[in-house]
Amino acid sequence: MRKIIHITVLYLGVLRSDKSAFFWLLAMPIVFTFVTGFVYPSGGGRSGPVRYALTVVNLDEGGRGAELLAAVEEADEIDLLLLEEPGADSTAIALVDDGDRSAALIIPADYSAKIGGGAQATIKFHRNPERMNPLVTREAVERVLSRLNAEAMVVAGAREAYAELWGEPTEEKAAELTGRARSFVADAWERPPVTVSAETVGRTLEERLPPGGYSHSSPAMALMWVLLNGLMASSFLVSERREKTLMRLFTAPVRRSEIIVGNLAWRFVVGLVQMWFLIGFGALVFGVDWGDSPTALLLVTVTYIAAVAGLSVLIGSTTRTSRQAESLSLILSLSMCALGGLWWPLEITPKAYQTVGHLIPTGWAMDAMHNLVGRGYTLAEVAPQAAALAGFAVIFTVAATLTFRHE
Amino acid sequence: MREGPVIEVKNLVKRYGELAAVDAVSFEVERGEIFGLLGPNGAGKTTTIGVLSCLVKPTSGSAKVAGIDVTRDSLGARSRIGVVPQEIALYPTLSARDNMLFWGRMYGVAEAELAGRIDELLEVVQLAGRARDRIDTFSGGMKRRVNIAVGLLHRPEVLFLDEPTVGIDPQTRRSILELVKDLNDQGLTVLYTTHYLEEAEFLCDRIGIMDEGRMLAVGTKSELTALVGAESVITVRADGMDASLVNWLEPLEGVSDAALGDGDLTVSVTTGSNVLPPLVERLTSSGTSIHSIDVDVPNLEGVFLHLTGKSLRDEADEAPAEDPAGAKP
Ligand SMILES: Nc1ncnc2c1ncn2[C@@H]1O[C@H](COP(=O)(O)OP(=O)(O)O)[C@@H](O)[C@H]1O
Ligand SMILES: [Mg+2]
């Protein structure tokens, strides 16, 4: 065990003596994350509450229309796009019909007058039938309206009851009645007598979409560079054979198993440090939310890096020259990035492509990352991906052990 | 320290398919000696050292280091040997000291002892001042000295050097031979392989001559030269020699054979006999004009020729540029 640690420490020293190591391990991945973060459209995921735009035209000559809009705007999910130019109502309808806007709310000129006169006021909600957003915005408008309606009804009811008992209220009394009725409704609205408890079964559509922006680029580039640098490290084993340091190690009282584990261990440690540096950087600088379970993230990264380390030693053991090792590593890591969905999400690729992506570790690792970053899955929910990665780690390590040689 | 030979090889065989790289080789190396394995390329020297350093699994026979069978207790055997590969088996971007720290730990040198041992060895190889410099800033000779020092960290019972002077400049070669000799003077047992006769003669107490996997003869230089009859050959080139000269020579004490060729005379004599002065006197008094006289004293080249029927020099890729015996101050 001590000798394994010494071999690991030796290689950390060798890497430290190599000035380009820092550049390739830490700087390049950050640059790539930054650049590619722009390219990926922001998709699903949990990047804060989603907001919906609603076009509104307020033709009301009194103040009630503005009150209604203020109440709608208070609803978290709505952004109001106010159209104010003359003829705005027909402009809004044209925009919706053309599909430029998903829905428009039009408050008529006599809105306040009708409410004040006790008549029934009507507002117009104009929607494009091909869009989903109006389902949400209309629901929000109706929710606001039903509160305003309830308020109006309670005020009217209270006035009528007062008049029957004590005669028409004075101005002062009327204002007090209205105030009380409103605060009654506001309280009651918080604790309605009947509520609907809605639960979504399974994951929502939104959660099933791959995350975009840095939520994709940050984990994807971390996976890519850990893989690329990890596999490229295979050439160290080739040069250890060429320089005969490996042969010398085999003539020292060190077990073959210790030498192999030492070679896996330093690659593993470097990969893990690199990965968690990039995770930390992604969280702090790119604002990536790495999910709810650090344990799950640890499990996924550990199994992935173990697979990379095993493959790196396998490549080092089965190639003859550093050039061969490096070319093979480059070809393997780039094709595994493309096929595993690191450059474009597997979710948008054809079925056959996705199948191929799951014959290699990257496909599973990217799935696990999307589940953690975009969807906040738990440890148990990413266990299948972690198990697949652990499987790859075992296969590569066994193959590397069988082919490991000193000449 | 235990009694008995440091290395015992008995009937060692290593086959690669049909080829016997090592074919029933036996020899022993005693404590404190420099034992040389001398033979041309492909003789099986590296394979023999490979078996002794646990890199090569023997096909049959036995090999023991410090009494330990290398196939039974490979770790135990490895902890008692120091191996100096022909290549500079060091990490070029690390300092001499960091290299030695790593290898010391791999050899199981106690942490408390390691730093002192490194200083001591750097002193021995005269690199104490460069301890913290990277290996890739060293000259070839300095690298080779560190390479040897690494093999000594754990105070091995025997040091293996496999053709450490192949392809290096004369000055470096000289410094390595001197270093090996000095270490041996301090009591280190050395197993040294070479295809250079001069190195074997200069360095080794005993020599094993190998060819095509077989050990042809083992002994000190004089034991080996005795094998070829211990005879010197005097060759005289002169005008006007005749058969009477041969008749005069043959009965002389120490002369085993004399023959007259076309302008030259060859006389085989027991080494150390005193034939040359009377021969020269007789030639000059008879008025013969002498062109040249060569005295061929028996050497390992002659031994090798005698044993294999071929010359070792032809096999050697290039003979060393200078006589290593001249290296001794
Ligand atoms: N790993 C191997 N596989 C096949 N043949 C080998 C191997 N190692 C050495 N040989 C052969 O064994 C013979 C002895 O080689 P070696 O021990 O290297 O000789 P030397 O060191 O005296 O030059 C050579 O003919 C060589 O080609
Ligand atoms: Mg050799």
Side-chain angles (χ1 to χ4, degrees):
Chain A
M1 184 64 203
R2 276 235 306 281
K3 288 182 179 165
I4 294 171
I5 295 172
H6 289 318
I7 294 175
T8 306
V9 170
L10 169 87
Y11 260 93
L12 297 182
V14 169
L15 284 185
R16 208 189 45 183
S17 70
D18 178 0
K19 290 189 180 59
S20 66
F22 165 82
F23 176 76
W24 288 109
L25 288 172
L26 305 178
M28 284 307 282
I30 288 173
V31 171
F32 269 67
T33 307
F34 180 69
V35 172
T36 55
F38 285 123
V39 178
Y40 302 119
S42 42
R46 306 184 310 162
S47 44
V50 183
R51 301 183 67 87
Y52 298 88
L54 175 61
T55 306
V56 291
V57 179
N58 184 8
L59 305 172
D60 187 18
E61 283 152 2
R64 308 297 289 268
E67 258 172 54
L68 170 65
L69 290 182
V72 172
E73 198 156 29
E74 254 171 50
D76 283 339
E77 67 268 42
I78 306 291
D79 281 330
L80 293 184
L81 303 171
L82 207 55
L83 289 185
E84 288 180 311
E85 72 269 18
D89 48 346
S90 40
T91 314
I93 288 168
L95 284 172
V96 171
D97 288 345
D98 293 349
D100 292 338
R101 297 281 167 88
S102 60
L105 178 69
I106 297 166
I107 303 173
D110 57 358
Y111 179 72
S112 295
K114 279 199 170 159
I115 292 176
Q120 197 175 16
T122 310
I123 57 175
K124 231 186 189 171
F125 189 88
H126 198 84
R127 67 164 288 199
N128 182 307
E130 278 155 28
R131 307 287 287 268
M132 301 284 280
N133 280 5
L135 297 180
V136 178
T137 47
R138 181 170 167 188
E139 200 258 355
V141 170
E142 286 190 348
R143 199 153 22 95
V144 169
L145 271 182
S146 47
R147 186 160 67 84
L148 293 180
N149 281 339
E151 226 175 76
M153 285 186 269
V154 171
V155 169
R159 272 190 176 222
E160 210 172 300
Y162 188 96
E164 266 176 33
L165 294 173
W166 301 292
E168 275 303 311
T170 59
E171 279 286 303
E172 203 177 311
K173 277 281 175 223
E176 196 192 332
L177 265 180
T178 309
R180 277 179 174 225
R182 280 190 170 168
S183 72
F184 171 80
V185 171
D187 278 356
W189 208 257
E190 296 296 310
R191 291 170 278 101
V194 181
T195 62
V196 177
S197 155
E199 259 176 47
T200 311
V201 180
R203 300 284 167 185
T204 62
L205 172 67
E206 182 185 302
E207 280 179 327
R208 275 184 276 122
L209 287 172
Y214 290 123
S215 299
H216 176 75
S217 83
S218 198
M221 289 300 114
L223 291 177
M224 168 175 159
W225 285 89
V226 165
L227 178 70
L228 187 61
N229 296 141
L231 295 196
M232 282 301 202
S234 59
S235 71
F236 280 97
L237 192 53
V238 179
S239 61
E240 281 236 67
R241 275 203 306 275
R242 189 186 53 234
E243 312 275 336
K244 303 288 174 189
T245 46
L246 198 58
M247 185 190 96
R248 178 170 240 167
L249 204 49
F250 271 91
T251 69
V254 187
R255 284 171 217 285
R256 184 182 140 87
S257 57
E258 290 174 313
I259 298 173
I260 297 173
V261 175
N263 265 280
L264 292 166
W266 76 259
R267 288 170 168 84
F268 181 81
V269 168
V270 171
L272 200 62
V273 169
Q274 182 188 16
M275 175 68 88
W276 279 83
F277 171 84
L278 295 174
I279 287 174
F281 200 90
L284 293 177
V285 179
F286 299 127
V288 176
D289 171 6
W290 292 90
D292 303 328
S293 172
T295 326
L297 189 59
L298 185 66
L299 183 69
V300 168
T301 53
V302 161
T303 49
Y304 177 70
I305 294 162
V308 171
L311 186 54
S312 172
V313 175
L314 176 60
I315 294 172
S317 296
T318 49
T319 49
R320 300 203 142 270
T321 64
S322 295
R323 257 186 92 92
Q324 269 178 18
E326 281 166 6
S327 330
L328 183 60
S329 297
L330 197 63
I331 291 166
L332 277 182
S333 33
L334 296 187
S335 52
M336 282 182 5
C337 285
L339 292 172
L342 271 53
W343 291 343
W344 43 84
L346 276 190
E347 286 92 334
I348 63 164
T349 61
K351 202 100 200 128
Y353 196 107
Q354 296 189 14
T355 308
V356 174
H358 290 95
L359 297 177
I360 52 177
T362 41
W364 293 96
M366 200 63 244
D367 275 1
M369 283 297 191
H370 278 173
N371 287 344
L372 293 169
V373 175
R375 298 152 190 163
Y377 277 24
T378 60
L379 182 61
E381 287 172 302
V382 293
Q385 286 89 6
L389 291 171
F392 283 110
V394 169
I395 292 168
F396 292 149
T397 304
V398 168
T401 305
L402 293 176
T403 53
F404 200 87
R405 63 212 160 86
H406 60 77
E407 54 174 3
Chain B
M1 274 204 183
R2 50 172 283 289
E3 295 290 308
V6 181
I7 291 173
E8 293 172 80
V9 174
K10 276 198 198 119
N11 270 319
L12 185 68
V13 177
K14 175 63 192 180
R15 296 189 163 280
Y16 293 108
E18 286 291 283
L19 175 85
V22 174
D23 191 1
V25 162
S26 302
F27 65 96
E28 293 184 351
V29 177
E30 300 297 334
R31 196 168 298 283
E33 72 175 344
I34 302 184
F35 186 92
L37 285 177
L38 174 67
N41 284 329
K45 307 180 295 291
T46 300
T47 307
T48 304
I49 285 212
V51 170
L52 286 167
S53 41
C54 310
L55 289 171
V56 176
K57 230 176 94 114
T59 309
S60 67
S62 80
K64 288 184 185 173
V65 174
I68 301 169
D69 191 319
V70 294
T71 56
R72 292 241 174 81
D73 178 10
S74 146
L75 282 185
R78 282 185 267 167
S79 66
R80 285 166 176 81
I81 57 170
V83 179
V84 180
Q86 193 176 318
E87 299 79 2
I88 311 288
L90 300 169
Y91 295 96
T93 61
L94 299 185
S95 70
R97 202 187 154 71
D98 285 347
N99 265 282
M100 292 178 86
L101 277 171
F102 172 70
W103 289 110
R105 286 168 181 150
M106 290 299 108
Y107 278 112
V109 179
E111 207 65 29
E113 204 192 312
L114 187 53
R117 182 70 182 144
I118 290 172
D119 292 341
E120 190 184 321
L121 281 172
L122 284 172
E123 207 70 60
V124 170
V125 298
Q126 297 166 14
L127 285 169
R130 301 290 303 270
R132 294 188 187 278
D133 294 343
R134 281 163 57 134
I135 294 293
D136 54 12
T137 65
F138 284 15
S139 71
M142 290 158 73
K143 287 179 191 169
R144 286 194 184 264
R145 297 208 301 270
V146 180
N147 204 31
I148 292 175
V150 164
L152 297 169
L153 280 162
H154 57 305
R155 303 178 195 278
E157 295 198 24
V158 56
L159 187 68
F160 298 163
L161 292 148
D162 189 10
E163 308 217 30
T165 58
V166 168
I168 62 176
D169 63 281
Q171 200 177 334
T172 308
R173 185 175 134 84
R174 168 197 292 211
S175 81
I176 287 172
L177 294 177
E178 275 174 20
L179 178 60
V180 173
K181 200 107 179 143
D182 288 349
L183 291 168
N184 176 250
D185 287 344
Q186 291 159 34
L188 182 71
T189 311
V190 176
L191 176 59
Y192 189 99
T193 83
T194 183
H195 63 255
Y196 294 133
L197 290 159
E198 296 81 355
E199 283 187 4
E201 286 190 9
F202 168 69
L203 213 51
C204 301
D205 300 305
R206 290 194 309 131
I207 296 160
I209 295 181
M210 287 187 80
D211 188 40
E212 292 177 355
R214 288 201 310 280
M215 184 68 90
L216 301 176
V218 181
T220 61
K221 188 190 164 192
S222 48
E223 282 168 357
L224 288 172
T225 47
L227 284 177
V228 286
E231 288 195 333
S232 304
V233 177
I234 301 170
T235 310
V236 182
R237 274 175 234 284
D239 299 328
M241 295 185 292
D242 56 37
S244 71
L245 198 58
V246 175
N247 293 336
W248 174 78
L249 275 164
E250 271 177 342
L252 285 186
E253 168 137 9
V255 175
S256 60
D257 188 33
L260 188 63
D262 183 19
D264 60 20
L265 171 76
T266 10
V267 190
S268 299
V269 301
T270 315
T271 303
S273 63
N274 230 8
V275 177
L276 198 54
L279 175 59
V280 174
E281 194 185 318
R282 198 193 142 100
L283 284 171
T284 41
S285 62
S286 69
T288 320
S289 74
I290 302 173
H291 298 308
S292 71
I293 299 179
D294 282 328
V295 182
D296 209 354
V297 181
N299 60 10
L300 291 176
E301 170 64 24
V303 176
F304 192 82
L305 189 64
H306 175 78
L307 290 172
T308 66
K310 60 190 180 190
S311 166
L312 188 54
R313 278 187 204 282
D314 300 339
E315 298 275 335
D317 34 13
E318 86 278 17
E322 72 184 89
D323 177 13
K328 200 77 186 166

